[in-house]
Amino acid sequence: KDGRTRFTAYLDDYAFLAWGLLELLQARWHGPWLAWSVELAEAMLAHFEDRDAGGFYFTADDHESLILRPKTFGDDATPAGNGMAARVLLRLGFLLAEPRYLDAAERTLRAGWSLLERYPHGHTSLLMALDEYIGPPTVVVLRGAVEGLDVWRAELDKLYDPRRLVLAVPSAATGLPAALSDKRPQARTVAYVCRGTTCSAPVETLGD
């Protein structure tokens, strides 16, 4: 408030902000947003992860000392931080081909497994992460001039598919991470369709 922060952020703050950035990137490509989501993911791993038992604590390792450092998997009025952290790490892991993120998401799912088995209805966000871990989302990376990208994205947006990410990366974009820079622009707008960490050759028509 008024340019000042009073409290250290919690796991939920990092996870929800990172998820919001991934959603925003599907509306408009902006390299710094992706970099920020990666920065947030790295901060979660560095300051919140329980490296021994898996999952993430609610407070960071530099937070004020508490009698008990909570680690919550169940959803409340909002989805659980652990569920959202796992979903963010899975999507970033598949998008950037980063095994550290995928491994951390798996450890989170294993840490919450007994709760999932006993109370699935109370752990929907974790179940959604499990669903994407078992059946990775489709990632569609569009490359080309801005005008062509807008046409392709508008067509793809007509098909509702919550398990798909569509990123329209202009040909002129610079500073891309390796997993995106490998998807090179062509003479015309193309799409690279990825499932898990396996991607297609450039797809040159919307029909295909």
Side-chain angles (χ1 to χ4, degrees):
K1 184 180 184 301
D2 300 326
R4 297 178 57 194
T5 55
R6 294 181 58 197
F7 303 107
T8 305
Y10 300 106
L11 170 66
D12 297 36
D13 300 312
Y14 282 85
F16 275 100
L17 180 55
W19 181 265
L21 288 167
L22 288 178
E23 291 292 294
L24 196 57
L25 280 167
Q26 296 184 75
R28 178 166 65 89
W29 173 259
H30 185 51
W33 290 342
L34 178 61
W36 193 9
S37 67
V38 169
E39 184 181 351
L40 292 167
E42 292 291 341
M44 287 193 297
L45 293 178
H47 299 291
F48 292 88
E49 187 181 17
D50 182 347
R51 294 178 180 83
D52 296 323
F56 294 87
Y57 292 108
F58 182 63
T59 57
D61 55 3
D62 57 356
H63 194 272
E64 65 178 286
S65 180
L66 302 174
I67 297 175
L68 174 68
R69 192 179 177 194
K71 186 167 59 171
T72 305
F73 293 94
D75 298 323
D76 204 333
T78 56
N82 267 286
M84 294 306 298
R87 296 188 71 193
V88 165
L89 290 168
L90 284 169
R91 293 208 164 189
L92 273 177
F94 289 127
L95 176 63
L96 303 178
E98 177 51 75
R100 291 187 302 115
Y101 296 167
L102 299 176
D103 290 345
E106 180 183 346
R107 290 194 295 271
T108 303
L109 289 169
R110 290 184 181 278
W113 186 253
S114 62
L115 294 169
L116 275 177
E117 287 189 308
R118 285 181 289 167
Y119 310 110
H121 51 283
H123 298 82
T124 305
S125 60
L126 210 59
L127 278 174
M128 295 172 77
L130 176 63
D131 183 50
E132 292 203 354
Y133 176 75
I134 295 171
T138 300
V139 178
V140 181
V141 179
L142 306 176
R143 297 302 311 271
V146 173
E147 297 77 11
L149 293 176
D150 289 343
V151 172
W152 280 53
R153 183 167 52 192
E155 286 299 312
L156 290 171
D157 284 347
K158 293 177 181 178
L159 302 174
Y160 175 69
D161 187 351
R163 294 168 55 86
R164 181 184 61 205
L165 288 83
V166 179
L167 298 179
V169 184
S171 299
T174 58
L176 298 175
L180 290 180
S181 62
D182 286 349
K183 298 166 179 60
R184 296 180 176 85
Q186 309 292 316
R188 53 193 294 184
T189 303
V190 295
Y192 294 85
V193 181
C194 306
R195 292 180 177 85
T197 55
T198 302
C199 297
S200 71
V203 179
E204 297 184 347
T205 69
L206 267 169
D208 290 340

